[in-house]
Amino acid sequence: MATLAKDQLHPVDPLDVSRSELYRDDTWQEPFRTLRATAPVHYTEQSDYGAYWSVSTYKPIVHVESLPEIFSSEVGGITLADFLPESDVKMPMFIARDRPVHTAQRRSVAPAFTPSEMVRMSDDIRRRTAEVLDTLSVGEAFDWVDTVSIELTTQMLAILFDFPWEDRRKLTFWSDWAGDIELVKNEDLRQQRLQYMFECGAYFQNLWNQKVGKEPTPDLISMMIHSDAMSHMDQYEFIGNLILLIVGGNDTTRNTMSAYAYGLSQFPDERAKLESNPELIPNATQEIIRWQTPLAHMRRTATQDYELEGQTIREGDKLALWYLSANRDETMFEDADWIVVDRPNARRHLAFGHGIHRCVGARLAELQVTILLEEMAKRRLRVNVIGAPTRVSACFVHGYRKLPVELSRY
Ligand code: HEM
């Protein structure tokens, strides 16, 4: 029976998987298991984000994402938290646009993520990764999240944007504010966010001014300036898309790197398998992304009534596509809760989504994580977790705030 939780104004549905404490306490597995087994398309009437449908198995998520006209990213945005026009900064981003605008804007940044661009960036990323690893001492305790995951991700983004190196942590700071959907619950924090987003906008405006009218350079800002679709944007749209590219790459890649450290410590036999066979690294990268699923959900809003798995979705209803759960779907992945570094179908995970919005930065994230694993292997370094992680308390970004570790050699 539903109970009334402390500080909450509505009864708690035990299958309301939007509750942030499930992620803070790492107890989300059980309710999702129940959802997958009994109600893969489930309606939660009341939650902190209002009513919503949970889609929790693999196939219906792929189905919904294959129908972008019926399940819109634009009508209600891409997270369960609704946009509040009166207190949120207006920052249109192509992740939250439908066709045709989405197609044109995505096309203008996609060249930054082609295989040949990845080859161009890889030496720089490898050199920077090596530099960070070479500052670490074996046997000394440190926080993996800040020292490695945040630092390397920030460096990767700074390379991508040709962002002033000494200011690179600003990227992390703005991105953490932009991507925090828990802010929806607090008006003061929303205002604070607004202020930081303006600060970010002003900084990028300045970078933009320095590059406009100049010869194109192979970084994202210049690429956006010289693209057709982007050059027709107003200032808010330009900044919104820049922030999208920072936020999109930030927590996600960071939390994959933390999952590598934490996840393999939970599965020491798999870690040993990887250590003795570095050729498994590219597959292990996919498997770690699947196991972590750094973005737990994306939201869609129905533009018409639609029958899904025997349930009637009504026009205007919101749906959470729980990638986190689809990637633990036992009908797709055997022993889905385990990391298996040589899992044959690890690549089929849904952590990057599916369809027209599938992550445009996937190759870059894979490159950065693979390089990290290769450079660790080269040094025969192992991460030993020496305390409980502190986790992000949110149903969108799925990750770690702190992870105490020390290194050893094998
Ligand atoms: C879209 C996950 C890394 C930029 C997405 C989507 C997901 C996702 C789930 C939405 C798919 C959908 O709505 O169907 C991830 C994960 C990453 C990662 C798990 C790391 C492991 C990156 C990186 C960048 C990036 C490194 C760029 C620097 C974007 C952008 C979109 C996107 C711009 C919007 C694409 C569109 O709407 O067409 N990502 N992402 N992501 N991601 Fe990533």
Side-chain angles (χ1 to χ4, degrees), residues 61 65 73 78 93-97 102-103 105-107 109 113 153 156-157 160-161 220 241-257 285 288-290 292-300 321 323 327 349-366 368-369 396:
I61 292 183
E65 294 222 71
S73 297
I78 48 124
M93 304 174 173
F94 69 86
I95 196 171
R97 301 300 300 269
H102 166 261
T103 316
Q105 294 191 353
R106 177 177 168 120
R107 203 172 280 152
V109 298
F113 303 97
T153 305
M156 175 191 85
L157 292 174
L160 186 68
F161 283 99
L220 259 176
N241 280 311
L242 276 174
I243 290 176
L244 163 64
L245 286 153
I246 308 169
V247 179
N250 183 45
D251 302 280
T252 50
T253 314
R254 171 201 307 182
N255 286 317
T256 307
M257 292 189 206
T285 297
I288 290 162
I289 294 172
R290 179 196 70 85
Q292 178 61 29
T293 312
L295 293 178
H297 81 268
M298 284 280 161
R299 172 231 181 124
R300 298 292 187 264
L321 309 179
Y323 305 130
N327 283 341
H349 68 74
L350 286 184
F352 291 126
H354 177 86
I356 64 166
H357 287 279
R358 186 179 188 275
C359 179
V360 76
R363 277 197 204 98
L364 179 58
E366 289 163 358
Q368 170 70 81
V369 174
F396 185 60

Coordinates of all heavy atoms in Angstrom, one line a residue, residues 61 65 73 78 93-97 102-103 105-107 109 113 153 156-157 160-161 220 241-257 285 288-290 292-300 321 323 327 349-366 368-369 396, ligand 1:
I61 N 11.6 0.7 -25.5 CA 12.3 1.9 -25.5 C 12.8 2.2 -26.9 O 12.7 3.3 -27.5 CB 13.5 1.9 -24.5 CG1 13.0 1.9 -23.1 CG2 14.5 3.1 -24.8 CD1 14.1 1.9 -22.0
E65 N 11.7 5.4 -29.3 CA 12.7 6.3 -29.9 C 12.7 6.2 -31.4 O 13.3 7.1 -32.1 CB 14.1 5.9 -29.4 CG 14.2 6.2 -27.9 CD 15.5 6.8 -27.5 OE1 15.7 8.0 -27.9 OE2 16.4 6.2 -26.9
S73 N 10.7 15.1 -28.4 CA 11.7 15.6 -27.4 C 11.5 17.1 -27.1 O 12.0 17.6 -26.1 CB 13.1 15.4 -28.0 OG 13.4 14.1 -28.2
I78 N 13.6 16.9 -22.2 CA 14.2 15.6 -22.2 C 14.4 15.0 -20.8 O 15.0 13.9 -20.7 CB 15.5 15.5 -23.0 CG1 16.4 16.7 -22.6 CG2 15.3 15.6 -24.5 CD1 17.8 16.3 -22.2
M93 N 18.1 23.9 -27.1 CA 19.2 22.9 -27.5 C 18.7 21.9 -28.4 O 17.5 21.5 -28.3 CB 19.7 22.2 -26.2 CG 20.1 23.1 -25.1 SD 20.4 22.1 -23.6 CE 21.1 23.3 -22.5
F94 N 19.5 21.4 -29.3 CA 19.0 20.5 -30.4 C 18.6 19.2 -29.8 O 17.8 18.4 -30.4 CB 19.9 20.4 -31.6 CG 21.2 19.8 -31.5 CD1 21.3 18.4 -31.6 CD2 22.3 20.5 -31.2 CE1 22.5 17.7 -31.5 CE2 23.6 19.9 -31.1 CZ 23.6 18.5 -31.2
I95 N 19.1 18.8 -28.6 CA 18.6 17.5 -28.0 C 17.1 17.6 -27.7 O 16.5 16.6 -27.7 CB 19.5 17.2 -26.8 CG1 19.3 15.7 -26.4 CG2 19.1 18.1 -25.6 CD1 20.2 15.2 -25.3
A96 N 16.7 18.8 -27.5 CA 15.3 19.0 -27.1 C 14.5 19.7 -28.2 O 13.6 20.5 -28.0 CB 15.2 19.8 -25.8
R97 N 14.9 19.4 -29.5 CA 14.2 19.9 -30.6 C 13.7 18.7 -31.5 O 14.4 17.6 -31.4 CB 15.0 20.8 -31.5 CG 15.6 22.0 -30.9 CD 14.5 23.0 -30.3 NE 13.6 23.5 -31.3 CZ 13.8 24.6 -32.0 NH1 14.9 25.4 -31.8 NH2 12.9 25.1 -32.9
H102 N 16.1 19.9 -35.5 CA 17.0 19.0 -34.9 C 18.1 18.5 -35.9 O 19.3 18.5 -35.7 CB 16.3 17.8 -34.2 CG 17.3 16.7 -33.9 ND1 17.4 15.6 -34.7 CD2 18.2 16.5 -32.9 CE1 18.4 14.8 -34.2 NE2 18.8 15.3 -33.1
T103 N 17.5 18.1 -37.1 CA 18.4 17.5 -38.1 C 19.5 18.5 -38.5 O 20.7 18.2 -38.6 CB 17.6 17.1 -39.3 OG1 16.4 16.5 -38.9 CG2 18.4 16.2 -40.3
Q105 N 20.6 21.3 -37.0 CA 21.6 21.7 -36.0 C 22.5 20.6 -35.7 O 23.7 20.8 -35.5 CB 20.8 22.2 -34.8 CG 20.0 23.5 -35.1 CD 19.5 24.2 -33.9 OE1 19.6 23.6 -32.8 NE2 18.9 25.3 -34.1
R106 N 22.0 19.3 -35.6 CA 22.9 18.2 -35.3 C 23.9 18.0 -36.4 O 25.1 17.8 -36.1 CB 22.0 16.9 -35.1 CG 22.9 15.7 -34.9 CD 22.1 14.5 -34.7 NE 22.9 13.3 -34.7 CZ 23.1 12.4 -33.7 NH1 22.4 12.6 -32.6 NH2 23.9 11.4 -33.9
R107 N 23.5 18.2 -37.6 CA 24.4 18.0 -38.7 C 25.6 19.0 -38.7 O 26.7 18.7 -39.1 CB 23.6 18.2 -40.0 CG 24.2 17.6 -41.2 CD 23.3 17.6 -42.4 NE 22.3 16.7 -42.4 CZ 21.1 16.8 -43.1 NH1 20.8 18.0 -43.7 NH2 20.2 15.9 -43.0
V109 N 27.2 20.1 -36.0 CA 28.2 19.7 -35.0 C 28.8 18.3 -35.3 O 29.9 18.0 -34.8 CB 27.8 19.9 -33.6 CG1 27.4 21.3 -33.3 CG2 26.7 18.9 -33.2
F113 N 32.8 15.0 -34.6 CA 32.9 13.6 -34.0 C 33.1 12.5 -35.0 O 32.8 11.4 -34.7 CB 31.6 13.4 -33.2 CG 31.3 14.5 -32.1 CD1 30.5 15.5 -32.4 CD2 32.0 14.4 -30.9 CE1 30.2 16.5 -31.4 CE2 31.7 15.4 -29.9 CZ 30.9 16.5 -30.2
T153 N 37.9 14.4 -18.1 CA 36.7 14.8 -18.9 C 36.8 16.3 -19.2 O 36.6 16.7 -20.3 CB 35.4 14.5 -18.1 OG1 35.4 13.1 -17.7 CG2 34.2 14.8 -18.9
M156 N 39.3 16.8 -21.9 CA 38.8 16.4 -23.2 C 37.8 17.5 -23.8 O 37.9 17.8 -25.0 CB 38.0 15.1 -23.0 CG 37.3 14.5 -24.2 SD 36.1 13.2 -23.8 CE 34.7 14.1 -23.3
L157 N 37.0 18.0 -22.9 CA 36.1 19.1 -23.4 C 36.9 20.3 -23.8 O 36.5 21.0 -24.8 CB 35.0 19.4 -22.3 CG 34.0 18.3 -22.1 CD1 33.1 18.6 -20.9 CD2 33.2 18.0 -23.3
L160 N 38.2 19.8 -27.2 CA 37.1 19.9 -28.2 C 36.7 21.3 -28.5 O 36.4 21.6 -29.6 CB 35.9 19.1 -27.6 CG 34.7 18.8 -28.5 CD1 35.1 17.9 -29.7 CD2 33.6 18.2 -27.7
F161 N 36.7 22.2 -27.5 CA 36.2 23.5 -27.7 C 37.4 24.5 -27.9 O 37.1 25.7 -28.1 CB 35.5 24.0 -26.4 CG 34.1 23.5 -26.3 CD1 33.8 22.4 -25.5 CD2 33.0 24.0 -27.0 CE1 32.5 21.9 -25.4 CE2 31.7 23.5 -26.9 CZ 31.5 22.4 -26.1
L220 N 35.0 23.0 -31.9 CA 33.5 23.1 -32.0 C 33.0 24.5 -32.2 O 32.1 24.8 -32.9 CB 32.9 22.5 -30.8 CG 32.4 21.1 -31.0 CD1 31.8 20.5 -29.7 CD2 31.3 21.1 -32.1
N241 N 23.1 25.5 -27.3 CA 23.7 24.4 -27.9 C 25.1 24.1 -27.5 O 25.6 23.0 -27.4 CB 23.7 24.5 -29.5 CG 22.3 24.1 -30.0 OD1 21.8 23.1 -29.6 ND2 21.7 25.0 -30.8
L242 N 25.8 25.2 -27.1 CA 27.2 25.1 -26.6 C 27.1 24.3 -25.2 O 27.8 23.4 -24.9 CB 27.8 26.4 -26.4 CG 28.5 27.0 -27.6 CD1 29.0 28.4 -27.3 CD2 29.7 26.1 -28.0
I243 N 26.1 24.8 -24.4 CA 26.0 24.2 -23.1 C 25.6 22.7 -23.2 O 26.1 21.9 -22.5 CB 25.0 25.0 -22.2 CG1 25.6 26.3 -21.9 CG2 24.6 24.2 -21.0 CD1 24.7 27.3 -21.1
L244 N 24.7 22.4 -24.2 CA 24.4 21.0 -24.5 C 25.6 20.2 -24.7 O 25.8 19.1 -24.2 CB 23.5 21.0 -25.7 CG 23.3 19.6 -26.3 CD1 22.7 18.6 -25.3 CD2 22.5 19.6 -27.6
L245 N 26.5 20.7 -25.5 CA 27.7 19.9 -25.9 C 28.7 19.8 -24.7 O 29.3 18.7 -24.5 CB 28.5 20.6 -27.0 CG 27.7 20.4 -28.4 CD1 28.0 21.5 -29.4 CD2 28.1 19.0 -29.0
I246 N 28.7 20.8 -23.8 CA 29.5 20.6 -22.6 C 28.8 19.6 -21.6 O 29.4 18.7 -21.2 CB 29.7 21.9 -21.8 CG1 30.2 23.1 -22.7 CG2 30.6 21.8 -20.6 CD1 30.1 24.4 -22.1
V247 N 27.5 19.9 -21.3 CA 26.8 19.0 -20.4 C 26.8 17.6 -20.9 O 27.0 16.6 -20.1 CB 25.4 19.5 -20.1 CG1 24.7 18.6 -19.1 CG2 25.4 20.9 -19.6
G248 N 26.5 17.5 -22.2 CA 26.3 16.1 -22.8 C 27.6 15.3 -22.5 O 27.5 14.1 -22.3
G249 N 28.7 15.9 -22.6 CA 30.0 15.2 -22.5 C 30.5 15.1 -21.1 O 31.4 14.3 -20.9
N250 N 30.0 15.9 -20.2 CA 30.7 16.0 -18.9 C 30.4 14.9 -17.9 O 31.2 14.1 -17.7 CB 30.3 17.4 -18.4 CG 31.0 17.7 -17.1 OD1 32.2 17.5 -17.0 ND2 30.2 18.2 -16.1
D251 N 29.2 14.9 -17.3 CA 28.9 14.0 -16.3 C 29.0 12.5 -16.8 O 29.3 11.6 -16.1 CB 27.5 14.1 -15.8 CG 27.2 15.5 -15.2 OD1 27.6 15.7 -14.1 OD2 26.6 16.3 -16.0
T252 N 28.6 12.4 -18.1 CA 28.5 11.1 -18.7 C 29.8 10.4 -18.8 O 30.0 9.3 -18.3 CB 27.9 11.2 -20.1 OG1 28.6 12.2 -20.8 CG2 26.4 11.6 -20.0
T253 N 30.8 11.1 -19.4 CA 32.1 10.5 -19.5 C 32.8 10.3 -18.2 O 33.4 9.3 -17.8 CB 33.0 11.4 -20.5 OG1 32.2 11.7 -21.6 CG2 34.2 10.7 -20.9
R254 N 32.6 11.4 -17.3 CA 33.1 11.3 -16.0 C 32.7 10.1 -15.2 O 33.4 9.4 -14.6 CB 32.7 12.6 -15.2 CG 33.0 12.6 -13.8 CD 32.1 13.5 -13.0 NE 32.1 14.9 -13.5 CZ 31.4 15.9 -12.9 NH1 30.7 15.7 -11.9 NH2 31.4 17.1 -13.5
N255 N 31.4 9.9 -15.3 CA 30.8 8.7 -14.5 C 31.1 7.4 -15.1 O 31.1 6.4 -14.4 CB 29.3 8.9 -14.3 CG 29.1 10.0 -13.3 OD1 29.7 10.1 -12.3 ND2 28.1 10.9 -13.6
T256 N 31.5 7.3 -16.4 CA 32.0 6.1 -17.0 C 33.3 5.8 -16.4 O 33.7 4.6 -16.1 CB 32.0 6.2 -18.5 OG1 30.7 6.6 -19.0 CG2 32.3 4.8 -19.1
M257 N 34.2 6.8 -16.3 CA 35.5 6.6 -15.8 C 35.5 6.2 -14.3 O 36.3 5.3 -13.9 CB 36.3 7.9 -15.9 CG 36.6 8.2 -17.3 SD 37.8 9.6 -17.3 CE 37.4 10.3 -18.8
T285 N 35.2 -1.3 -22.5 CA 34.7 0.1 -22.4 C 33.1 0.1 -22.7 O 32.4 0.7 -21.9 CB 35.3 0.9 -23.5 OG1 36.7 1.0 -23.3 CG2 34.7 2.3 -23.6
I288 N 31.4 -1.4 -19.6 CA 31.3 -0.5 -18.4 C 30.2 0.6 -18.7 O 29.5 1.0 -17.8 CB 32.7 0.1 -18.1 CG1 33.6 -1.0 -17.6 CG2 32.6 1.3 -17.2 CD1 35.1 -0.7 -17.7
I289 N 30.2 1.1 -19.9 CA 29.1 2.1 -20.2 C 27.7 1.4 -20.0 O 26.8 2.1 -19.4 CB 29.3 2.6 -21.6 CG1 30.6 3.4 -21.8 CG2 28.1 3.5 -22.0 CD1 31.0 3.8 -23.2
R290 N 27.6 0.2 -20.5 CA 26.3 -0.5 -20.3 C 26.0 -0.6 -18.8 O 24.9 -0.3 -18.3 CB 26.3 -1.9 -20.9 CG 25.0 -2.7 -20.7 CD 25.2 -4.2 -21.0 NE 26.0 -4.9 -20.0 CZ 25.5 -5.3 -18.8 NH1 24.2 -5.2 -18.5 NH2 26.3 -5.9 -17.9
Q292 N 27.1 0.9 -16.2 CA 26.8 2.2 -15.4 C 25.6 2.9 -15.9 O 24.8 3.3 -15.2 CB 28.1 3.1 -15.5 CG 27.9 4.4 -14.8 CD 27.6 4.3 -13.3 OE1 28.1 3.4 -12.7 NE2 26.9 5.2 -12.7
T293 N 25.5 3.0 -17.2 CA 24.4 3.8 -17.9 C 24.4 5.2 -17.2 O 23.5 5.5 -16.4 CB 23.0 3.1 -17.8 OG1 23.2 1.8 -18.2 CG2 22.0 3.8 -18.7
P294 N 25.3 6.1 -17.6 CA 25.5 7.4 -16.9 C 24.3 8.3 -17.0 O 24.2 9.2 -16.2 CB 26.7 8.0 -17.7 CG 27.4 6.9 -18.3 CD 26.3 5.9 -18.7
L295 N 23.4 8.1 -18.0 CA 22.1 8.9 -17.9 C 21.0 7.9 -17.8 O 20.8 7.0 -18.6 CB 21.9 9.7 -19.2 CG 22.9 10.8 -19.5 CD1 22.6 11.5 -20.8 CD2 22.9 11.9 -18.3
A296 N 20.4 7.9 -16.6 CA 19.4 6.9 -16.3 C 18.2 6.9 -17.2 O 17.6 5.9 -17.5 CB 18.9 7.1 -14.8
H297 N 17.8 8.1 -17.6 CA 16.6 8.2 -18.5 C 16.7 9.4 -19.4 O 17.5 10.3 -19.2 CB 15.3 8.3 -17.7 CG 15.0 9.7 -17.2 ND1 15.4 10.2 -15.9 CD2 14.3 10.8 -17.8 CE1 15.0 11.5 -15.8 NE2 14.4 11.8 -16.9
M298 N 15.9 9.3 -20.5 CA 15.5 10.5 -21.3 C 14.0 10.5 -21.3 O 13.4 9.5 -21.3 CB 16.1 10.4 -22.7 CG 17.5 10.7 -22.8 SD 17.9 12.5 -22.8 CE 19.6 12.5 -22.4
R299 N 13.4 11.7 -21.5 CA 12.0 11.8 -21.5 C 11.5 12.1 -22.9 O 12.1 12.8 -23.7 CB 11.6 12.9 -20.5 CG 10.1 13.3 -20.5 CD 10.0 14.8 -20.7 NE 8.7 15.3 -20.8 CZ 8.2 16.2 -19.9 NH1 9.0 16.8 -19.0 NH2 6.9 16.6 -20.1
R300 N 10.3 11.6 -23.2 CA 9.6 12.0 -24.4 C 8.1 12.4 -24.0 O 7.7 12.0 -22.9 CB 9.5 10.8 -25.4 CG 10.8 10.3 -25.9 CD 11.5 11.3 -26.8 NE 12.7 10.8 -27.4 CZ 14.0 11.0 -26.9 NH1 14.1 11.7 -25.8 NH2 15.0 10.6 -27.5
L321 N 12.1 7.0 -20.5 CA 12.7 5.9 -21.1 C 13.9 5.5 -20.2 O 15.0 6.2 -20.3 CB 13.2 6.2 -22.5 CG 12.2 6.9 -23.4 CD1 12.7 7.2 -24.8 CD2 10.9 6.0 -23.6
Y323 N 16.9 3.9 -19.7 CA 18.0 3.2 -20.2 C 18.7 2.3 -19.2 O 19.2 1.2 -19.5 CB 19.1 4.2 -20.8 CG 18.6 5.2 -21.8 CD1 18.9 6.5 -21.7 CD2 17.8 4.7 -22.9 CE1 18.5 7.4 -22.6 CE2 17.4 5.7 -23.8 CZ 17.7 7.0 -23.7 OH 17.3 7.9 -24.6
N327 N 19.3 -1.6 -19.9 CA 20.6 -2.2 -19.9 C 20.8 -3.4 -18.9 O 21.8 -4.0 -18.9 CB 21.7 -1.2 -19.8 CG 21.9 -0.4 -21.0 OD1 21.5 -0.8 -22.1 ND2 22.5 0.8 -20.9
H349 N 24.2 -2.0 -25.9 CA 23.6 -1.3 -24.8 C 22.8 0.0 -25.3 O 23.1 0.4 -26.5 CB 24.6 -0.9 -23.8 CG 25.6 0.1 -24.3 ND1 25.3 1.5 -24.5 CD2 26.9 0.1 -24.8 CE1 26.3 2.1 -25.0 NE2 27.3 1.3 -25.2
L350 N 21.9 0.5 -24.5 CA 21.2 1.7 -24.9 C 21.6 2.9 -24.2 O 20.9 3.9 -24.1 CB 19.7 1.4 -24.6 CG 18.9 0.5 -25.5 CD1 17.4 0.5 -25.2 CD2 19.1 0.9 -27.0
A351 N 22.8 2.9 -23.6 CA 23.3 4.0 -22.8 C 23.4 5.3 -23.6 O 23.3 6.4 -23.1 CB 24.6 3.7 -22.1
F352 N 23.6 5.2 -24.9 CA 23.7 6.3 -25.8 C 22.3 6.6 -26.4 O 22.2 7.5 -27.3 CB 24.7 6.1 -26.9 CG 26.1 6.1 -26.4 CD1 27.0 5.0 -26.7 CD2 26.7 7.1 -25.7 CE1 28.3 5.0 -26.3 CE2 28.0 7.1 -25.2 CZ 28.8 6.0 -25.5
G353 N 21.3 5.9 -26.0 CA 20.0 6.1 -26.6 C 19.9 5.4 -28.0 O 20.7 4.5 -28.3
H354 N 18.9 5.8 -28.8 CA 18.6 5.1 -30.0 C 17.9 6.0 -31.0 O 17.2 6.9 -30.5 CB 17.8 3.8 -29.7 CG 17.4 3.1 -31.0 ND1 18.2 2.1 -31.5 CD2 16.3 3.2 -31.8 CE1 17.6 1.6 -32.5 NE2 16.5 2.2 -32.8
G355 N 18.1 5.9 -32.3 CA 17.4 6.7 -33.2 C 18.0 8.1 -33.5 O 19.2 8.2 -33.3
I356 N 17.2 9.0 -33.9 CA 17.7 10.3 -34.4 C 18.5 11.1 -33.3 O 19.3 11.9 -33.7 CB 16.6 11.2 -35.0 CG1 15.6 11.6 -34.0 CG2 15.9 10.5 -36.2 CD1 14.7 12.8 -34.5
H357 N 18.2 10.9 -32.1 CA 18.9 11.6 -31.0 C 20.1 10.8 -30.4 O 20.7 11.3 -29.5 CB 18.0 12.0 -29.9 CG 17.0 13.1 -30.3 ND1 17.4 14.4 -30.3 CD2 15.7 13.1 -30.7 CE1 16.3 15.2 -30.7 NE2 15.3 14.4 -30.9
R358 N 20.4 9.6 -31.0 CA 21.4 8.8 -30.4 C 22.7 9.7 -30.2 O 23.0 10.5 -31.1 CB 21.8 7.6 -31.2 CG 22.8 6.7 -30.6 CD 23.1 5.5 -31.4 NE 23.9 4.5 -30.6 CZ 25.2 4.6 -30.5 NH1 25.9 5.5 -31.2 NH2 25.9 3.7 -29.8
C359 N 23.3 9.5 -29.1 CA 24.4 10.4 -28.7 C 25.4 10.7 -29.8 O 26.0 9.8 -30.4 CB 25.2 9.8 -27.5 SG 26.6 10.8 -27.0
V360 N 25.6 12.0 -30.1 CA 26.4 12.5 -31.2 C 27.9 12.4 -30.7 O 28.8 12.3 -31.5 CB 26.1 13.9 -31.6 CG1 26.5 14.9 -30.7 CG2 26.6 14.2 -33.0
G361 N 28.1 12.4 -29.4 CA 29.5 12.3 -28.9 C 30.0 11.0 -28.5 O 31.1 10.8 -27.8
A362 N 29.2 9.9 -28.8 CA 29.5 8.6 -28.4 C 31.0 8.2 -28.7 O 31.7 7.6 -27.8 CB 28.6 7.6 -29.0
R363 N 31.4 8.5 -29.9 CA 32.8 8.0 -30.3 C 33.9 8.7 -29.4 O 34.9 8.1 -29.1 CB 33.1 8.4 -31.7 CG 32.5 7.4 -32.7 CD 33.2 7.6 -34.1 NE 32.4 7.1 -35.1 CZ 31.5 7.8 -35.9 NH1 31.5 9.1 -35.7 NH2 30.7 7.3 -36.8
L364 N 33.6 10.0 -29.1 CA 34.6 10.7 -28.3 C 34.6 10.1 -26.9 O 35.7 9.9 -26.3 CB 34.2 12.2 -28.2 CG 35.1 13.1 -27.4 CD1 36.6 13.0 -27.9 CD2 34.7 14.5 -27.4
A365 N 33.5 9.8 -26.3 CA 33.4 9.2 -25.0 C 34.2 7.9 -25.0 O 35.0 7.6 -24.1 CB 32.0 9.1 -24.5
E366 N 33.9 7.1 -26.0 CA 34.5 5.7 -26.1 C 36.0 5.9 -26.2 O 36.8 5.2 -25.6 CB 34.0 5.0 -27.3 CG 32.5 4.5 -27.1 CD 31.8 4.1 -28.4 OE1 32.5 4.2 -29.5 OE2 30.7 3.7 -28.3
Q368 N 37.9 8.4 -25.2 CA 38.6 8.9 -23.9 C 38.6 7.7 -22.9 O 39.7 7.6 -22.2 CB 37.8 10.1 -23.4 CG 38.1 10.5 -22.0 CD 39.5 11.1 -21.9 OE1 39.7 12.3 -22.2 NE2 40.5 10.4 -21.5
V369 N 37.6 6.9 -22.8 CA 37.6 5.9 -21.8 C 38.6 4.8 -22.2 O 39.3 4.3 -21.4 CB 36.1 5.3 -21.6 CG1 36.1 4.1 -20.7 CG2 35.2 6.4 -21.0
F396 N 18.4 11.3 -13.0 CA 18.8 11.6 -14.4 C 20.3 11.3 -14.6 O 20.6 10.3 -15.2 CB 18.5 13.1 -14.7 CG 18.8 13.5 -16.2 CD1 18.2 12.8 -17.2 CD2 19.7 14.4 -16.5 CE1 18.4 13.1 -18.5 CE2 20.0 14.8 -17.8 CZ 19.4 14.1 -18.8
Ligands
HEM1 C1 22.7 12.7 -26.7 C2 24.4 9.6 -23.4 C3 28.9 11.4 -24.1 C4 27.0 15.1 -26.5 C5 22.8 11.7 -25.7 C6 21.7 10.9 -25.3 C7 22.2 10.0 -24.4 C8 23.6 10.3 -24.3 C9 21.4 9.0 -23.7 C10 20.3 11.1 -25.8 C11 19.7 10.1 -26.7 C12 18.3 10.2 -27.0 O1 17.6 11.2 -26.6 O2 17.8 9.3 -27.6 C13 25.8 9.8 -23.4 C14 26.7 8.9 -22.6 C15 28.0 9.4 -22.8 C16 27.9 10.6 -23.7 C17 26.3 7.7 -21.8 C18 29.3 9.0 -22.3 C19 29.5 7.7 -21.9 C20 28.8 12.5 -24.8 C21 29.9 13.4 -25.3 C22 29.3 14.5 -25.9 C23 27.9 14.2 -25.9 C24 31.4 13.2 -25.0 C25 30.0 15.7 -26.5 C26 31.1 16.2 -26.1 C27 25.7 14.7 -26.8 C28 24.8 15.6 -27.6 C29 23.5 14.9 -27.6 C30 23.7 13.7 -26.9 C31 25.1 16.9 -28.2 C32 22.3 15.3 -28.4 C33 22.1 14.5 -29.6 C34 20.8 14.7 -30.4 O3 19.8 15.2 -29.8 O4 20.8 14.5 -31.6 N1 24.0 11.3 -25.1 N2 26.5 10.8 -24.0 N3 27.6 13.1 -25.3 N4 25.0 13.6 -26.4 FE1 25.8 12.1 -25.3

